[in-house]
Amino acid sequence: MKHVKWLSCCLLGAAVFAQAPPADTLVSPEVHPDRRVTFRLRAPKAAEAWLVMDYMPAGTRQPMTREGDIWSATMGPLEPGVYIYSFQVDGMTIADPVNPNVKLRARTSASMVEVPDTPPAIWEPRDVPHGTVEINWQKSKVINGETRWIWVYTPPGYERDPKRRYPVLYLFHGANDTAGGWTLAGHANFILDNLIAEKKAVPMILVMPFGHALPYGSSGTLTSNTDLYEKYVLQDVMPLVEARYHVAPGRENRAIAGLSMGGGQALTIGFRHLDLFSAIGAFSAAVPTEFEKEFTSLLADAKQVNARLKLLWFACGRQDSLFERSQKLADLLAASQIKHTFRPTEGAHVFKLWRRYLSEFAPLLFH
């Protein structure tokens, strides 16, 4: 009887497999030699379809045209870099169903396309020694026993010399992203691989925790999220990193940086703990609105801040809605005679810029 049941299961499995639909051969996205990109969607019953890309101004979208069952739109030529996009079909937003390059988020998801450069850009994989990216799982003592992931990059050759100690850059993502954002979309690992191979950056460890200490979309403010996240980084993340990895001791071997929400977190935590961090970076930062009020005493003591901070570097695109915050921060620091570098650029709130900012910031660290 057991043999009959086993045979029945096998036959049922074979029948299900035989009835599986054929693979969709649709190509999307297609990057053309002239850097134009065609996006396609099979949606035979749709009444309308639109393409939304990360560099577009808020509320704008590109209509897609229909030919048979296929909707398409061609954009560009586009500058080399990564682009995040999604489709809007009859009022519903979806990722590209045939593109495996998914942009993970804390809530919802989208798709990504890479437009390559010639020769390969600093954020593209090159034929150089590569470091390792590990995912560490940790039960947080600070955040209600929640098991959280921490992505950690170690540089090429890390495993060969256990006695060598490395400086650490704590690198934070933006709102509605995940701990994997700086690796999967930002290519931080390839950027460091290439900079190290060119001897433009000191070999370092990158630590990339999950930045939403409060659930994304909850009633908590960015300020309350940052306060809890600060405790999480200091009491959970840093002890794990310093126990598990070959970390060089001391504040001179620690830097903190981030993009958007993470840039605001880096500024806040960095200024609160000049005893722990010697360098701060902020990319398109959500600069805290109460920054001047909170750090009044530090702003009045430029001599102390300048003596402790080896580097205070921030950048933002002029087309970014957060640009005014960065400009006001630069003006405030200048008026307070605190040494800093503000790098205004062209561009919106996009990973294409944040990759560039990291590639400029990392070589300045740990000298």
Side-chain angles (χ1 to χ4, degrees), residues 156-180:
Y158 173 86
E159 301 86 357
R160 291 199 297 267
D161 185 1
K163 294 183 179 180
R164 182 174 178 179
R165 295 294 180 261
Y166 294 85
V168 182
L169 169 59
Y170 289 84
L171 187 60
F172 303 154
H173 63 76
N176 197 22
D177 206 342
T178 73

Side-chain angles (χ1 to χ4, degrees), residues 99-111:
N99 181 1
N101 195 3
V102 176
K103 176 66 185 76
L104 299 176
R105 291 173 171 159
R107 185 177 177 86
T108 75
S109 60
S111 299

Side-chain angles (χ1 to χ4, degrees), residues 47-127:
E48 61 177 13
W50 305 80
L51 170 69
V52 179
M53 301 189 71
D54 57 355
Y55 68 86
M56 295 175 173
T60 63
R61 55 187 183 172
Q62 175 68 30
M64 303 180 74
T65 58
R66 180 172 189 165
E67 186 172 340
D69 291 347
I70 308 301
W71 297 80
S72 68
T74 298
M75 306 296 290
L78 301 177
E79 292 182 6
V82 63
Y83 295 86
I84 299 172
Y85 71 96
S86 58
F87 298 133
Q88 291 181 353
V89 185
D90 291 346
M92 180 175 65
T93 300
I94 62 171
D96 188 336
V98 298
N99 181 1
N101 195 3
V102 176
K103 176 66 185 76
L104 299 176
R105 291 173 171 159
R107 185 177 177 86
T108 75
S109 60
S111 299
M112 296 186 288
V113 58
E114 291 280 346
V115 177
D117 202 356
T118 305
I122 195 69
W123 51 77
E124 295 182 52
R126 297 176 181 172
D127 188 15

